[in-house]
Amino acid sequence: MPDGLFWVPSLVVFGGAAIALVAGVVGFRRLGVRREARDVDAARVLETGAKARLVRADEAVRDAQQEVRFAEAQFGVEAARELAATVDLARGWLREAFLLQQRLDDAEPHTAAERRSWSSRIASLCDSVERVLADAGSGLAGRRAAERGAAADAPALRERAERLARRRADGAAALERLGTRFSAAALAGAHGALTRAERDLDRVDSALDDAEARLGGGAGRPVADLLDRATHALDRAEGELAGVERVELDLAQAAADATTEAAALDADLITARRERDAATDHDAASVLSVAIGEVSPLLVGREDRAADPFAERDRLRAARDRLEVARSGTRRAEQRLDGARGALPGAIAIAESQIAVAHSAMERARAFAGADARTRLAEAERQLGIARREADPVAALDAARRAASRARDAEALAHHAALHR
């Protein structure tokens, strides 16, 4: 290549690089334009769906506002207050959705990301509006369905109330008959249940009278709440009357239970007296003797207390419980004494051995053992003597253990004196 053309290869290389750079920039721009176009198309789809939802939500709010007026007319202002509060909440969400839609409709251009975000928020708000209004509407529909069935329910409730009134009268007659055999205290619970049933039946009559007056006065006055109140009162009255009707059987069962408890108490007293006589613990035997004296009179004159089987049964059960507590104390005391008797020989042997060891230590440190060691050893021997003479095995066991403890102290003091002479 001539010397004057050395620059031609460089020109070719740089020119090719420039062309490639320009082509790359153009390609990226075209790719960004296509991506932006796709995003714009997707945003338009979201916007179209959001507008449709916005229309449906607005219609739902308008319909709900009308339902509030209908509910006020049918059930009263108080009953429609919850629906009105729900409508106010939905209107607040709807206002926010309209504000976002207004931004989308502005002439000022926005990015596709912003438009997607606003459209998604509009759709979410509209979904919330429709959901809460649908829930409120379903509750109102259920109440209207109850009102439609009220005309058919009222006669059945009245018939049920009349049946319960007859049962109440029969219950009152039964209690009057039972009153010749049983005390007022025994029948107090049944009389209370009868009184409560009567009050509930009065409430039923009042609620049904109001409901029938409303049904006879034409549409527009709710009665479902009155019928619900009557139903609950009927349920309570029926439960109370069942208890009244069961009282004669309950009295018979209580009398049988009292007889069983009396027989069991008699057997317990025989065993308790035997345990008291065999007890070696004086205090426990005294407590058991007092308990026997307190409960024994309950087996005398039981026929005079037959007028209140409930109280007699409970009295005998409580007496058996008191006697069992005293017997348990005696058994624990005897077990404690038996345990002490069993442990005493071993404890005395240990004390004797320990005293012997202490004597040996004292002999080795005789010239150096002080008054403390000698005092401990003397006390150990005194306690051992108490353990051998004591009649109470518990006290004897305690003394033997003290003897061993004092002997160990004496041995330790003697060793200490020998080490430091």
Side-chain angles (χ1 to χ4, degrees):
M1 178 181 295
D3 292 339
L5 298 177
F6 67 91
W7 50 270
V8 173
S10 299
L11 179 62
V12 171
V13 172
F14 285 116
I19 292 171
L21 178 61
V22 171
V25 171
V26 172
F28 277 119
R29 285 183 177 178
R30 288 177 179 175
L31 181 61
V33 169
R34 285 196 297 270
R35 185 183 298 112
E36 183 69 21
R38 286 196 301 271
D39 291 344
V40 169
D41 291 339
R44 286 199 188 97
V45 172
L46 284 176
E47 289 175 31
T48 302
K51 286 181 179 180
R53 292 188 179 187
L54 191 57
V55 171
R56 289 200 306 269
D58 186 50
E59 288 297 321
V61 170
R62 293 176 186 273
D63 291 342
Q65 288 173 331
Q66 291 182 345
E67 284 293 332
V68 171
R69 292 192 291 271
F70 293 152
E72 288 177 350
Q74 185 176 9
F75 303 115
V77 175
E78 188 65 28
R81 182 169 297 168
E82 183 176 354
L83 177 59
T86 302
V87 172
D88 289 340
L89 177 64
R91 289 174 61 187
W93 289 336
L94 190 61
R95 283 194 295 270
E96 182 182 350
F98 277 129
L99 179 61
L100 292 171
Q101 185 59 48
Q102 184 61 49
R103 291 182 183 177
L104 289 172
D105 294 340
D106 283 345
E108 181 181 349
H110 302 288
T111 65
E114 288 178 324
R115 302 185 75 86
R116 283 198 307 274
S117 176
W118 294 343
S119 297
S120 297
R121 177 60 178 165
I122 291 171
S124 176
L125 290 168
C126 292
D127 287 343
S128 297
V129 168
E130 293 184 76
R131 184 179 64 254
V132 298
L133 293 180
D135 291 343
S138 64
L140 192 59
R143 183 162 186 175
R144 284 176 176 150
E147 292 294 335
R148 286 193 295 271
D153 293 341
L157 292 176
R158 178 67 75 179
E159 182 180 352
R160 185 184 174 193
E162 291 171 355
R163 288 198 305 270
L164 290 180
R166 290 192 292 270
R167 286 176 61 184
R168 189 206 65 77
D170 292 342
L175 290 182
E176 185 175 358
R177 174 176 53 82
L178 292 172
T180 61
R181 296 168 48 202
F182 299 101
S183 67
L187 299 175
H191 279 295
L194 190 68
T195 300
R196 291 190 294 274
E198 186 173 3
R199 284 201 300 266
D200 284 328
L201 290 175
D202 288 342
R203 294 188 185 101
V204 170
D205 288 337
S206 176
L208 291 179
D209 288 343
D210 290 346
E212 290 167 355
R214 292 185 182 186
L215 288 171
R221 301 185 66 192
V223 298
D225 288 346
L226 290 172
L227 297 186
D228 285 343
R229 193 185 313 161
T231 300
H232 293 321
L234 285 170
D235 291 340
R236 290 194 303 270
E238 190 166 21
E240 298 289 359
L241 290 175
V244 173
E245 293 164 347
R246 197 174 54 246
V247 68
E248 190 166 6
L249 291 176
D250 291 343
L251 286 165
Q253 184 61 53
D257 291 342
T259 300
T260 302
E261 292 292 336
L265 178 59
D266 190 29
D268 290 344
L269 282 169
I270 293 173
T271 304
R273 292 187 184 101
R274 188 164 53 246
E275 292 173 349
R276 177 199 59 190
D277 296 340
T280 56
D281 186 285
H282 177 72
D283 293 338
S286 298
V287 171
L288 182 56
S289 182
V290 170
I292 292 171
E294 289 176 348
V295 304
S296 294
L298 296 179
L299 295 178
V300 181
R302 288 194 58 243
E303 60 279 1
D304 297 333
R305 301 192 296 271
D308 192 349
F310 297 132
E312 179 67 2
R313 177 199 60 195
D314 296 341
R315 189 181 298 113
L316 291 169
R317 285 177 176 173
R320 289 190 66 198
D321 290 342
R322 290 201 303 274
L323 185 61
E324 179 58 28
V325 170
R327 291 178 61 198
S328 297
T330 302
R331 287 194 295 269
R332 286 194 298 271
E334 289 301 318
Q335 290 169 358
R336 183 166 171 261
L337 290 173
D338 289 342
R341 290 189 189 98
L344 181 58
I348 289 177
I350 291 172
E352 290 172 343
S353 174
Q354 189 63 54
I355 288 173
V357 170
H359 271 296
S360 297
M362 291 287 292
E363 287 296 328
R364 290 193 299 272
R366 186 170 183 178
F368 310 100
D372 290 342
R374 298 171 189 272
T375 301
R376 298 293 194 284
L377 182 56
E379 178 63 16
E381 291 174 337
R382 189 180 75 84
Q383 290 293 334
L384 179 59
I386 292 173
R388 288 170 174 163
R389 295 188 303 271
E390 178 61 55
D392 182 356
V394 176
L397 180 62
D398 290 341
R401 289 171 175 169
R402 285 195 297 272
S405 175
R406 298 299 184 273
R408 281 192 293 270
D409 293 344
E411 179 193 2
L413 290 170
H415 278 307
H416 182 76
L419 290 173
H420 293 83
R421 59 186 179 180

